[in-house]
Amino acid sequence: MPYWNWKLFAVLFTIQLTIQIVRWIRRDGARNLLRSMRLQGEGVSAKQRRENLVGLGVLLSLLFLGVLFWQID
């Protein structure tokens, strides 16, 4: 195969991410999962805010790269 199939990669990555989120919800509960992803509010430490911002930046950069590769013929 002369090139990587990006649609297959996206599907596999989405499946893996979904499985990981389901595992987190089963382990901690949905309420605790959403609480751990907050950026501000009561009980959010500076370390948690920084880690969540870094994670959000990584997700946005992956989304941006995906859109760029989607534009390539």
Side-chain angles (χ1 to χ4, degrees):
M1 188 158 76
Y3 61 93
W4 180 255
N5 189 344
W6 288 104
K7 290 181 184 178
L8 176 64
F9 175 76
V11 168
L12 292 176
F13 182 75
T14 304
I15 291 171
Q16 188 273 335
L17 185 63
T18 304
I19 290 171
Q20 188 66 31
I21 289 173
V22 168
R23 289 175 68 199
W24 286 334
I25 289 174
R26 292 176 109 187
R27 185 186 67 196
D28 298 334
R31 178 167 284 175
N32 287 337
L33 178 67
L34 293 176
R35 185 176 294 138
S36 69
M37 295 181 349
R38 291 188 305 182
L39 294 176
Q40 59 183 345
E42 184 179 334
V44 177
S45 66
K47 180 182 177 187
Q48 180 183 0
R49 183 179 300 117
R50 186 172 45 250
E51 288 175 354
N52 288 346
L53 282 172
V54 168
L56 183 63
V58 168
L59 289 175
L60 288 175
S61 65
L62 286 173
L63 179 67
F64 179 71
L65 284 173
V67 169
L68 283 178
F69 278 111
W70 192 343
Q71 299 298 320
I72 297 174
D73 286 337

